[in-house]
Amino acid sequence: MRRNKVDKSKILDSIFQPKSIAVVGASATPGKIGYTVVKNLIESKYEGKVYPINPSATEILGLKCYPSIEEVAGEIDAAVITTPAKTVLGITEQCGKKGVKGFIVITSGFGEVGDHELEEQIVETANRFGMRVLGPNIVGVLSNSGKMNASFAPFLPFNGKAALVSQSGALLIALDAASYTRGVGFDKLVSIGNMSDIDIADTIEWLNKDDQTFCISLYVEGFKNGRSFIDVCKKAQKPIIALKAGVSAHGAAAAASHTGSLAGAAKIYGSAFQQAGVVQATDLDNLFDRTLALSLQPSLRGEHLLIITNGGGVGVLATDAAERYGIPLTFAPEDVQAELKKHMPDFGSAKNPVDITGQAGTEWYVDAVRYAMAHPWVDGLVVLYCETAVSNPQEIAEGIHQAVLESGIKDKPITVSYVGGEKSDNAMKWLVEHGIPAYAAPDTAINAMAALREYARVQEMLNDKEVIYDGVDREKALKIIADARADGRDSLTEVEAKQVFAAYGLPITQNYLAKTEDQAVELAQKIGYPVVMKVVSPDILHKSDAGGVKVNVKDEQGVREAFKTIMANSKAYKANANIHGIVIQEMAPWGTEVILGSVNDATFGPTMMFGLGGIFVEVLKDVTFRVTPVSSNQATRMIGEIRGAPILAGARGEKPRDRDALAKTICQYSNMVLDLADEITESDANPVLVYENGQGLKVVDARIILKKK
Ligand code: COA
C-alpha cells in the first residue's frame, strides 16, 4: 500500500524537526485542542513559521490565520491536524497538494474505534503525495532542542538526553509532567498512537540518527510487525529501553498445541526484546529510573561492581539488591582493599561494600571514588550516602563528580543513592545535572546499574551467529504436508509429524505404521521388544485420553492384544474417527522429559518454545521462548534460564544431561519452523527424552498443526 518513493528519514525530519508548521483546525477558543497546539508552539518559542488554518478566523493568538492550507504562500513542512475525524481525509488531500511532508494527526476516531477503512484511506492518500502520517489519535510531538511543543501536552518535558516514544497519549502527557518531579530529562516526546503509517520501528530508526537523543525509551502496547522492530533495534547505536503493557495471554484459548496455550504475550515480548538488544523495564517508575541511567552513563561491561558507602545499612540493602538484579557482589582484590583502607578509619571495611563509615567527609569519598574508578578490577561503581551531621550532601556530590572527572575514566558507569532530606534531594538534582544518575534508594541505584549491565549483555548477544544445518530435506517435508492437505486435513498425524522432524535432522524414535495385527507383530520384531503402540488418527489428537496408547509391550501376544484394545478404545472414543493404523515405535529408554514447540505468533512470526516436560510444563509452565531463528548461544541460554535448569545440569547426584545435543536440536527445530513458516502454525515435540552427556536425545511424540489455507 505504501507508495512513497521519497527518502523516508528526510520525511521524518519534517515531523520531528519541521521548519514550518500548519495547525489545521487551529481555534481561537481557549480550551480547544486546536487552540492549545498553537499556544504551545508559541510558548515553547518555536522558531519556525506557524500557520493557523481555520476558515472562520482571521487571527489566532496574534498569528495570521488562513482559511485553508492552499492560501499559505510559504512552504509547509508539517501539518498538525486538530479537526474532527470526518474532515481529515479531505484535509489530507489538500495538504498533499500543498506539498506538506509530515502529517501529524491528533484527531481520534479511527482504527482505535474500529474505523480502519478511513485510517487506511488517509495513509494511502498521504503516501500518494509522498507524505508520511504520524498518528492518528496522538498528543503530538515535543522537542526541547527544537523548541517545539507541537502537541496538546502542557509544556516541554524536563530537558535531558532521552527520547520517549509512547503508544498511549494520556500516559505521555502524564510522563511529561512527571519528568520534572522525577528529574528525568527528555529531549523529545513522541506520541505514536495508532501507528497507521509511521510506527515504532520508523521512529527508532530516526531517533538513532538524532544527535540530541542518547537513549530511546518506549512505552509499548503492541507492534504491528515485531520482526521489523527487532531488525531496527539490532542496528541501533543507542540504548533502547521498553516497558511493555498488556501482557495477558493472547490467543491461548484457541491454541491446539501445548506451545500455543503457553505462548503468552509477556513471554514472547520479553524474549523478543532480549533478541533485539533492548533493555526492559518492569513498570513506569522503573522505566524512568533506568532511562536516567541509560541516557547518562556507559554500559556496565563486566561483573565487578564496587559499592562505596558511609552507612552499613544501605550497604547491606544494596548488596541484597545487587544479587536480586543479577549483579552479585564479590570481594575486591587485596590491592584494592589495601589502598581503600587508607581512605577510612580503622573501623571501616574495604571489602565490598566499601564502608568508609558515618564519619566520612567529602575527602574520603573523593579519594575512594577516584581510586576505584581508575582501578582495572572495578567495572562499575555505586556510591551510597546517608545524610549525616558531619558531612555536607552538596559537597559530597561535587566531590564525587570531581573524583570521576579526575579519574579520567569515561567508559565505566557510576550511579549514586542519597538517603536523606531536602539537602540530599538538592544534591541529587545537582548530580543528575552533571551527568551522574542519583536515586533516593540504594535499591534503585543498583537497579539502574543492573540496567546498564543488561544493556551490555543484550548487546553482546547480538553478536550471536545463526547456525545453518546441512542435510535438510525441505522437499520431503513439504510433500508430507501437501499429502495431508490433499487428504483434507489441517494437522499431521504423529507419524507424519515425525517424518517432517526427521527431514530437518531431529532425532526421532523409530516408528512404523501397522495397518493390521500381523503387520504390527512383524514391525515390532523388526524394531525389537519392548515397543510402544499408539493409534494414528487425525481425529484423535489426545491419544492417551482415548485409550489409544500402550507402552512397554513385551512380546507378540502383547502386540496382538494391544492392537485389538487400541482399535476398540479408539472407536469407542470417536465412532467415525478415520484411523490410519497403529504406529509401532521403539520404546525409548528413560531420559529427562523436555518439550520443544513453536507458535506462529501474530506479531513476531515463528517463535520457539523450550521447557521441561511432564508436570513442569503442565503445572508450572516452566517454559521459555525465542523468536526464530534461535542461535546456538540463545539455545544454550534457553536451557539455562528455565527454573528446572538444575535438573538438566545434573541435580541430586544425577548425571548431567546432554545439553549440547539439546541446544543443537533447539536450533534445528527453530530452523524447521522458520523454514516452514508458511505451512506450520503450531507444533510440539513432547516429550523429548534427553540422555546423559554424549548420548543425545529422542523425540518420542510429535504434533504439527498446519496453517489454514
Ligand atoms: N479546516 C480548518 N479548520 C476546520 C476544518 C477544516 N476543514 N473543519 C473544522 N475546522 C475547525 C473548526 O471550525 C474548529 O474551529 P473553531 O473553534 O474556530 O470553530 C476547529 O477546527 C476544531 O473543530 P471542532 O469541530 O470544534 O472540534 P473539536 O475541537 O471539538 O474536536 C478534535 C476536534 C480533533 C480535538 C476531536 O475530534 C478529537 O479527536 N479529540 C480527541 C483528541 C485526542 O485526545 N487525541 C489523543 C488521544 S491520546
Side-chain angles (χ1 to χ4, degrees):
M1 190 182 69
R2 206 169 272 177
R3 286 174 218 175
N4 56 322
K5 295 206 172 69
V6 266
D7 181 347
K8 255 168 48 171
S9 64
K10 272 264 173 299
I11 300 277
L12 295 200
D13 284 353
S14 58
I15 287 198
F16 299 122
Q17 286 173 338
K19 293 192 184 73
S20 50
I21 300 175
V23 182
V24 184
S27 172
T29 309
K32 284 205 178 186
I33 289 185
Y35 172 88
T36 309
V37 172
V38 177
K39 181 168 160 276
N40 279 345
L41 282 167
I42 295 169
E43 285 181 356
S44 59
K45 303 196 166 41
Y46 177 66
E47 286 167 350
K49 278 268 187 198
V50 179
Y51 301 107
I53 313 288
N54 183 321
S56 51
T58 51
E59 188 196 295
I60 291 174
L61 288 156
L63 297 173
K64 180 179 175 198
C65 185
Y66 297 79
S68 75
I69 199 132
E70 289 104 328
E71 307 286 325
V72 178
E75 271 191 28
I76 300 172
D77 261 0
V80 180
I81 312 303
T82 63
T83 60
K86 61 179 185 323
T87 66
V88 177
L89 185 56
I91 293 171
T92 315
E93 185 91 23
Q94 290 163 11
C95 287
K97 285 184 182 150
K98 171 68 190 161
V100 170
K101 299 180 199 85
F103 198 60
I104 303 172
V105 187
I106 287 181
T107 313
S108 303
F110 299 92
E112 82 283 5
V113 292
D115 200 343
H116 296 283
E117 204 184 322
L118 182 55
E119 191 170 299
E120 278 166 22
Q121 283 174 341
I122 289 166
V123 175
E124 211 171 322
T125 308
N127 289 174
R128 181 150 42 85
F129 289 102
M131 212 163 45
R132 302 264 338 237
V133 183
L134 183 70
N137 189 30
I138 61 169
V139 168
V141 181
L142 299 91
S143 164
N144 266 313
S145 55
K147 296 186 185 168
M148 177 185 83
N149 181 359
S151 83
F152 65 94
F155 32 65
L156 287 171
F158 183 62
N159 198 7
K161 294 181 159 187
L164 175 74
V165 183
S166 173
Q167 261 180 288
S168 158
L171 194 68
L172 182 113
I173 297 182
L175 296 180
D176 182 21
S179 69
Y180 285 87
T181 52
R182 300 292 309 258
V184 178
F186 294 90
D187 183 62
K188 291 184 181 64
L189 303 183
V190 181
S191 170
I192 194 120
N194 296 2
M195 302 193 292
S196 66
D197 182 15
I198 296 169
D199 62 11
I200 296 188
D202 295 323
T203 311
I204 292 173
E205 207 170 12
W206 189 87
L207 289 169
N208 185 42
K209 291 189 204 139
D210 175 32
D211 54 14
Q212 300 298 323
T213 299
F214 293 83
C215 166
I216 302 166
S217 196
L218 310 174
Y219 167 80
V220 175
E221 287 172 359
F223 303 122
K224 288 196 171 153
N225 183 344
R227 284 190 180 248
S228 72
F229 169 81
I230 293 178
D231 290 345
V232 164
C233 291
K234 273 180 163 177
K235 287 184 208 132
Q237 307 293 312
K238 315 177 172 175
I240 302 172
I241 174 162
L243 172 62
K244 167 77 178 89
V247 288
S248 50
H250 71 118
S257 67
H258 260 305
T259 309
S261 62
L262 290 163
K267 284 195 162 132
I268 295 185
Y269 269 87
S271 308
F273 286 140
Q274 192 199 84
Q275 287 175 272
V278 169
V279 176
Q280 294 177 64
T282 50
D283 56 35
L284 285 174
D285 279 345
N286 192 244
L287 182 69
F288 264 109
D289 294 334
R290 295 188 142 208
T291 295
L292 184 65
L294 288 162
S295 62
L296 298 180
Q297 289 291 310
S299 64
L300 174 59
R301 280 176 293 172
E303 302 289 339
H304 296 142
L305 181 65
L306 192 81
I307 296 178
I308 296 172
T309 179
N310 69 342
V314 288
V316 177
L317 287 171
T319 306
D320 291 348
E323 195 166 306
R324 192 161 60 245
Y325 299 131
I327 39 172
L329 297 188
T330 50
F331 288 138
E334 289 301 326
D335 63 320
V336 176
Q337 292 196 31
E339 178 62 30
L340 288 170
K341 263 285 184 197
K342 295 180 193 160
H343 309 291
M344 64 179 74
D346 290 346
F347 50 89
S349 166
K351 292 184 170 146
N352 195 10
V354 176
D355 186 351
I356 55 176
T357 81
Q359 211 175 304
T362 307
E363 229 168 85
W364 289 357
Y365 266 104
V366 171
D367 291 343
V369 170
R370 190 197 303 112
Y371 174 77
M373 270 312 255
H375 196 283
W377 182 84
V378 178
D379 295 314
L381 195 60
V382 174
V383 182
L384 308 177
Y385 169 72
C386 290
E387 198 172 315
T388 66
V390 296
S391 60
N392 178 322
Q394 179 59 28
E395 267 181 36
I396 301 263
E398 288 171 25
I400 294 170
H401 180 244
Q402 176 202 337
V404 172
L405 289 184
E406 283 171 6
S407 75
I409 301 293
K410 294 201 174 94
D411 58 354
K412 283 184 196 177
I414 176 169
T415 65
V416 171
S417 169
Y418 270 44
V419 180
E422 206 181 328
K423 283 186 190 160
S424 287
D425 285 352
N426 291 336
M428 282 195 284
K429 271 192 196 132
W430 187 92
L431 278 167
V432 172
E433 279 164 19
H434 290 79
I436 297 180
Y439 304 91
D443 186 286
T444 322
I446 296 285
N447 186 288
M449 193 52 87
L452 298 169
R453 182 74 194 119
E454 190 179 324
Y455 180 48
R457 282 190 185 132
V458 289
Q459 288 296 308
E460 277 163 25
M461 288 180 199
L462 296 184
N463 299 327
D464 289 355
K465 293 275 173 295
E466 195 189 328
V467 196
I468 310 289
Y469 293 97
D470 302 333
V472 167
D473 193 347
R474 184 167 200 264
E475 293 313 311
K476 185 177 174 196
L478 288 174
K479 167 95 176 51
I480 295 161
I481 290 169
D483 287 350
R485 287 197 193 279
D487 203 20
R489 288 184 277 131
D490 56 13
S491 67
L492 300 188
T493 63
E494 178 187 338
V495 177
E496 291 164 341
K498 277 189 182 159
Q499 284 171 348
V500 172
F501 283 8
Y504 280 83
L506 297 171
I508 56 164
T509 45
Q510 276 191 75
N511 300 284
Y512 300 103
L513 183 67
K515 300 227 180 236
T516 65
E517 204 180 296
D518 287 342
Q519 221 180 356
V521 171
E522 200 181 303
L523 292 170
Q525 273 159 1
K526 180 172 164 183
I527 291 169
Y529 290 106
V531 293
V532 177
M533 295 170 65
K534 297 181 200 168
V535 64
V536 180
S537 165
D539 302 319
I540 304 176
L541 275 185
H542 300 283
K543 297 176 284 263
S544 298
D545 296 353
V549 180
K550 293 278 174 211
V551 296
N552 205 14
V553 182
K554 292 194 174 104
D555 51 26
E556 180 180 337
Q557 197 195 341
V559 170
R560 291 190 184 281
E561 275 167 25
F563 196 94
K564 287 190 198 86
T565 316
I566 290 174
M567 281 297 187
N569 286 351
S570 302
K571 280 179 186 146
Y573 181 76
K574 212 173 211 179
N576 54 356
N578 171 13
I579 297 174
H580 290 192
I582 288 176
V583 63
I584 316 296
Q585 186 182 298
E586 134 196 26
M587 173 111 175
W590 179 87
T592 304
E593 278 186 31
V594 302
I595 176 170
L596 270 58
S598 73
V599 286
N600 214 332
D601 183 74
T603 308
F604 294 103
T607 302
M608 172 87 202
M609 183 191 83
F610 162 74
L612 283 190
I615 184 168
F616 292 95
V617 63
E618 301 280 350
V619 181
L620 301 175
K621 302 189 184 343
D622 184 15
V623 292
T624 181
F625 285 82
R626 288 294 185 285
V627 176
T628 62
V630 179
S631 67
S632 72
N633 284 345
Q634 283 289 10
T636 304
R637 280 181 210 112
M638 289 176 90
I639 297 167
E641 74 194 18
I642 56 168
R643 275 171 288 154
I647 294 175
L648 290 162
R652 298 179 69 94
E654 290 282 345
K655 296 221 169 95
R657 304 284 116 186
D658 199 337
R659 287 170 293 173
D660 289 344
L662 180 55
K664 181 178 173 196
T665 304
I666 291 174
C667 293
Q668 287 173 312
Y669 199 111
S670 115
N671 286 3
M672 173 186 75
V673 292
L674 186 58
D675 202 27
L676 299 176
D678 290 340
E679 302 291 341
I680 297 179
T681 182
E682 287 176 32
S683 69
D684 282 334
N686 178 35
V688 177
L689 298 177
V690 189
Y691 303 115
E692 285 172 16
N693 264 347
Q695 293 180 23
L697 53 127
K698 277 251 156 93
V699 176
V700 172
D701 202 349
R703 184 174 304 176
I704 288 180
I705 318 290
L706 300 177
K707 254 188 175 174
K708 290 211 163 54
K709 285 203 169 168

